[in-house]
Amino acid sequence: MAPQNVRTEPTAPKRERDRDRPAPAKPKPEPQPKPEPNPTPNPPGTRNTAILLAFTLVTNLADGITKIALPVLATRSTDSPALISLVSLTLTLPWLLFALPVGVLVDRADRRRLLWLADGLRLLAIGGLITIVLAGRVTVAVLAIGGLVLGVAEVIALTSTSALIPAIVPRADRERANALITGVETAANEFAGPFVGGLLLAAGTGLALGATWVAYLAASLLLLLLTGRFRAVRRADPGGDGAAGEAWTGTPGAGVAAESIGRQIGAGLRFLWRDRLLRTMSLILTVLFASWGAWLALMPLVAHDLMHLSAREYGVVLSALGVGGLLGAVLVGRLNRLIGHRRVLLADLIGTVAMMAVPAVTTDLWAVAGAAFVGGMGGTLWSVNYRLIGQNLVPEHMMGRYSGASRLLGWGALPVGAGLIGVLAQWFGVRAAFLVFALAAAATIPVFLIAVTEERLAPALRMPDSADAG
């Protein structure tokens, strides 16, 4: 018997044993984590903010020139103050007529293309006016039609821009973007545009309108540089309420393109009304805009008949309003961090009360100018934060309709306030008319303190984490 620990079978050579031995299994590569899907991708905000800033600068310069050029052309065609005022009214009237359906259009369509559409309408209107002016056939009717087309284009452009910002600018950059854009709007529309327009009109009407046409064309080309997605990812509306209970469809335009315009307008209005914070701020905004419309409408009469100001002194009052707005745009971010968004919003209400109350009690130039400065600064503080809150709270697929409804209440109140203070001044006197609007603005303060709380503001002002920052 062979020993126990000795093999009796022949031993194969080592090379053959290695050849016959199965190869060791290769370790499987560990699966790499898949990136989480982001339904609303945000490209880098700095580039888009800079482009939107340039676009806003160019278009508001052109708008400022237009606001000067159309009334001046009207004075060459008629001596009727009513007809001249009508030409100016056509620039803002479309907010009352088209804000809601344009909001639906913004939620349905590519928003950058809508900006191109707006600039196309502007180019068409200005080009037509240039032709008519050079032919010497300017009439009030022609100017009114041109003003309406430009007004509709402004409704489309501003509503589209409001809806575009939250889609292409990361949440962390929106406060800065809104502050810069608001500051540029104030500087270009209220200062540089009218000033440049006056110089160009002195050189020739055709030159002023031609420069405006070139500006709108340049703005259209700037939009080519934007990056990101420009059409909202829509949601189906199985519940029929247009806001709550909607599910992501994942594709642009799915599920709602066939809905009627009326139903979508109703969904936007219901969304705004059901949110207490947004509803309250929109109603307060209506009072604020009505007050601004009243101040702008009656102040020329006050400056001339009661204060006996020269054109230069009246320019000081208007400049104080604009300078305050510019300073507000510069300081809004610091003030938000220093005293909080809620107190900054409240400051505008107090500033509006002061702006309306001071002309009711005194005609001192520096007192009225100081109140205008405070009111202008507060207006910018409110505007930046109001836009920021809406952009952070409103779903992307609802931004157009929300913006349309909000601007209808705001911009639509401008002519209402202007008309109402004229009637009050006729019946009860100028001081009493200003006092009525000061009391109306003051009445918004307790409403604000009750409804606009830190708890309701918190979701809109939450700083994003790394995932939200895009």
Side-chain angles (χ1 to χ4, degrees):
M1 184 174 67
Q4 290 182 347
N5 293 330
V6 178
R7 295 189 181 188
T8 57
E9 67 273 15
T11 303
K14 183 177 184 299
R15 182 177 299 178
E16 293 181 4
R17 291 201 312 269
D18 293 341
R19 182 187 61 190
D20 297 335
R21 182 180 301 169
K26 295 182 179 180
K28 295 182 179 180
E30 296 182 1
Q32 298 296 324
K34 296 182 179 179
E36 295 183 1
N38 185 4
T40 55
N42 281 319
T46 303
R47 171 191 175 94
N48 285 329
T49 299
I51 296 168
L52 286 177
L53 197 63
F55 175 82
T56 302
L57 173 63
V58 174
T59 54
N60 276 270
L61 279 173
D63 290 342
I65 296 172
T66 301
K67 289 179 181 179
I68 293 293
L70 289 186
V72 168
L73 288 173
T75 60
R76 299 175 184 175
S77 303
T78 181
D79 295 329
S80 170
L83 292 178
I84 295 173
S85 299
L86 176 64
V87 172
S88 297
L89 180 63
T90 58
L91 293 170
T92 57
L93 184 61
W95 283 107
L96 287 172
L97 303 177
F98 302 108
L100 293 179
V102 166
V104 173
L105 180 64
V106 169
D107 283 341
R108 286 185 173 189
D110 184 301
R111 290 156 181 174
R112 182 169 64 170
R113 292 183 180 180
L114 289 177
L115 289 175
W116 277 324
L117 172 63
D119 280 345
L121 290 174
R122 288 161 165 166
L123 292 172
L124 179 65
I126 297 298
L129 287 175
I130 291 174
T131 303
I132 293 172
V133 167
L134 294 179
R137 298 180 180 180
V138 178
T139 64
V140 171
V142 169
L143 295 174
I145 293 172
L148 283 173
V149 175
L150 291 172
V152 171
E154 184 178 39
V155 174
I156 296 173
L158 292 184
T159 307
S160 300
T161 303
S162 297
L164 194 60
I165 289 175
I168 65 174
V169 177
R171 181 172 175 137
D173 296 336
R174 289 175 195 166
E175 181 177 272
R176 175 175 172 271
N178 283 306
L180 290 172
I181 289 173
T182 303
V184 165
E185 287 175 352
T186 302
N189 210 315
E190 303 299 331
F191 289 106
F195 177 73
V196 173
L199 295 178
L200 292 175
L201 283 170
T205 305
L207 178 62
L209 293 177
T212 304
W213 193 92
V214 172
Y216 286 135
L217 178 61
S220 297
L221 297 177
L222 281 172
L223 295 174
L224 292 170
L225 303 177
L226 287 176
T227 59
R229 175 176 46 76
F230 310 112
R231 184 189 293 269
V233 176
R234 306 188 185 281
R235 299 180 179 186
D237 190 7
D241 64 0
E246 296 178 344
W248 284 103
T249 63
T251 56
V256 298
E259 290 180 355
S260 67
I261 293 178
R263 184 183 179 190
Q264 291 193 16
I265 289 176
L269 292 173
R270 287 193 298 274
F271 174 85
L272 176 60
W273 188 255
R274 290 173 181 175
D275 190 300
R276 185 177 182 183
L277 176 63
L278 297 178
R279 179 181 73 237
T280 302
M281 294 190 70
S282 295
L283 293 177
I284 291 175
L285 182 68
T286 303
V287 178
L288 298 179
F289 264 78
S291 300
W292 276 69
W295 192 92
L296 292 170
L298 198 57
M299 186 50 62
L301 177 64
V302 173
H304 184 269
D305 292 350
L306 297 182
M307 301 176 69
H308 307 291
L309 300 181
S310 64
R312 185 175 182 178
E313 290 172 328
Y314 180 55
V316 170
V317 176
L318 293 182
S319 297
L321 188 73
V323 170
L326 283 176
L327 185 61
V330 173
L331 296 179
V332 62
R334 296 178 183 177
L335 290 175
N336 284 339
R337 292 187 293 272
L338 182 64
I339 64 175
H341 294 76
R342 185 169 182 258
R343 291 188 179 91
V344 170
L345 289 167
L346 180 61
D348 175 45
L349 306 185
I350 298 172
T352 303
V353 172
M355 186 176 72
M356 303 306 298
V358 168
V361 298
T362 181
T363 56
D364 180 75
L365 168 62
W366 296 109
V368 173
F373 173 84
V374 172
M377 183 175 179
T380 302
L381 297 177
W382 177 281
S383 179
V384 172
N385 284 311
Y386 180 73
R387 293 180 186 183
L388 177 67
I389 291 168
Q391 291 163 5
N392 288 346
L393 284 184
V394 179
E396 185 186 351
H397 72 289
M398 192 67 69
M399 271 302 302
R401 284 167 284 178
Y402 161 76
S403 181
S406 176
R407 288 178 181 271
L408 171 65
L409 294 173
W411 289 78
L414 283 172
V416 174
L420 181 57
I421 200 170
V423 173
L424 292 173
Q426 183 70 32
W427 289 353
F428 305 107
V430 170
R431 294 181 184 272
F434 272 112
L435 183 59
V436 168
F437 276 89
L439 293 174
T444 64
I445 294 178
V447 176
F448 174 88
L449 293 175
I450 293 171
V452 184
T453 62
E454 296 288 355
E455 292 76 15
R456 292 194 177 100
L457 287 172
L461 304 176
R462 178 182 62 84
M463 290 305 295
D465 55 24
S466 57
D468 293 331

